[in-house]
Amino acid sequence: MKFLDRWMARTRLRNARAALAQHPSAENFAALALEHARIEDYAQAERVCAEGLTTLASHPELLRLRSRMRALQLEDRARALSSELRESPRPGLFRELAEIYLECGRLERAEELAQQWLAAGGSGEAHWIRAQARVARYFADRRREDGREALELLARSEQALARDERPLRLRLELACRVGAWSEARRVVGQLLELRPGDPALEARYRTYSALAEQGPTREAALREVERRGTFPEDPSPARSSASSA
């Protein structure tokens, strides 16, 4: 029976490839991807979808199918990593599994894993995972308490990952999303210490300096976002500079 199953799978793949070669339509790309998925070759299925999207950009079915194939790959990898972590906890395994949870939107699980990593001796990267997960939760739900916790976790990440721009840039994104311009200006100042003379950062510093004069405090900005349930628009430095000119 197994031999027959393999023979039938090869036949279906051969037919799907022939159909795609003859007529490279979205339907035929999807059909070939699904044949690969039937034999649990999700990586190849994703590659077929990506190939189709190079000529059929933004096709909704191929986009949906590629996303699903990616999710299936991540599910398989997460199961394997979880099993390996139980047997031999190591930083690389913690990091990869946590990043998968973040990509899949399993934010609570990512935070739990980061806590386990910290308990097992993890430091900077574990704090960074926790911070990313809590920022994502805040962006999704706009709860002020999540925003406060996200900022605290980002501060821990900054301390643990000296001269690493990632926590600073995520703090900057959060500050801009809520309209806390004094905070945004402060973070850009820190980034300029790491990248002195960077023209994009200097432009943002000027923009946020002007906005900070009338902007709310960080706490007031978090409160207002929670009250309204929406984020204010992040003004672009280019637009602000043009309007001031």
Side-chain angles (χ1 to χ4, degrees):
M1 186 62 181
K2 289 184 178 179
F3 170 80
L4 180 59
D5 289 342
R6 289 196 297 270
W7 179 80
M8 292 179 66
R10 287 196 296 268
T11 300
R12 287 193 301 266
L13 278 170
R14 186 167 57 250
N15 291 341
R17 290 189 184 109
L20 180 58
Q22 185 173 4
H23 183 42
S25 65
E27 293 74 15
N28 285 337
F29 274 109
L32 179 56
L34 288 171
E35 288 302 331
H36 282 292
R38 288 180 69 169
I39 58 173
E40 300 185 359
D41 188 354
Y42 304 124
Q44 184 59 30
E46 184 185 6
R47 284 192 287 270
V48 170
C49 293
E51 179 189 346
L53 287 166
T54 60
T55 54
L56 300 160
S58 301
H59 190 279
E61 177 60 17
L62 289 178
L63 286 170
R64 184 198 66 78
L65 195 54
R66 183 180 64 176
S67 177
R68 180 57 182 154
M69 294 304 106
R70 175 64 177 166
L72 288 169
Q73 285 184 77
L74 293 177
E75 287 176 16
D76 281 353
R77 183 59 181 156
R79 281 194 294 270
L81 287 167
S82 296
S83 177
E84 195 168 353
L85 264 174
R86 285 192 293 270
E87 297 178 3
S88 177
R90 303 192 300 279
L93 301 180
F94 275 115
R95 182 185 298 108
E96 185 180 355
L97 183 55
E99 288 172 351
I100 287 175
Y101 285 148
L102 288 174
E103 183 174 342
C104 293
R106 299 177 62 184
L107 304 177
E108 186 173 346
R109 189 68 191 95
E111 282 201 68
E112 291 172 357
L113 185 65
Q115 293 273 38
Q116 294 172 24
W117 189 1
L118 286 167
S123 56
E125 289 296 327
H127 284 300
W128 171 230
I129 292 292
R130 286 193 70 201
Q132 290 178 86
R134 188 53 64 107
V135 169
R137 287 173 65 174
Y138 176 64
F139 285 166
D141 299 331
R142 299 168 178 80
R143 293 179 62 253
R144 189 183 350 170
E145 194 55 43
D146 281 335
R148 290 172 178 157
E149 182 70 14
L151 288 165
E152 182 180 333
L153 291 171
L154 283 168
R156 292 182 196 174
S157 299
E158 290 163 23
Q159 292 172 0
L161 297 168
R163 301 190 64 80
D164 191 322
E165 293 185 16
R166 294 174 299 168
L168 288 170
R169 290 194 178 275
L170 189 54
R171 180 187 287 274
L172 178 59
E173 182 183 355
L174 194 159
C176 291
R177 291 284 294 274
V178 303
W181 305 118
S182 293
E183 174 80 358
R185 177 180 59 186
R186 185 182 71 81
V187 178
V188 171
Q190 291 177 272
L191 286 168
L192 278 168
E193 292 177 8
L194 300 177
R195 292 178 174 267
D198 185 295
L201 287 173
E202 289 180 343
R204 295 186 81 169
Y205 190 86
R206 290 191 296 270
T207 296
Y208 301 149
S209 293
L211 291 167
E213 299 302 321
Q214 302 296 326
T217 64
R218 187 175 74 183
E219 180 61 27
L222 291 172
R223 183 171 60 248
E224 182 64 10
V225 167
E226 183 177 57
R227 185 185 71 81
R228 293 169 59 92
T230 58
F231 293 109
E233 182 182 6
D234 177 12
S236 73
R239 184 166 62 249
S240 299
S241 300
S243 60
S244 62

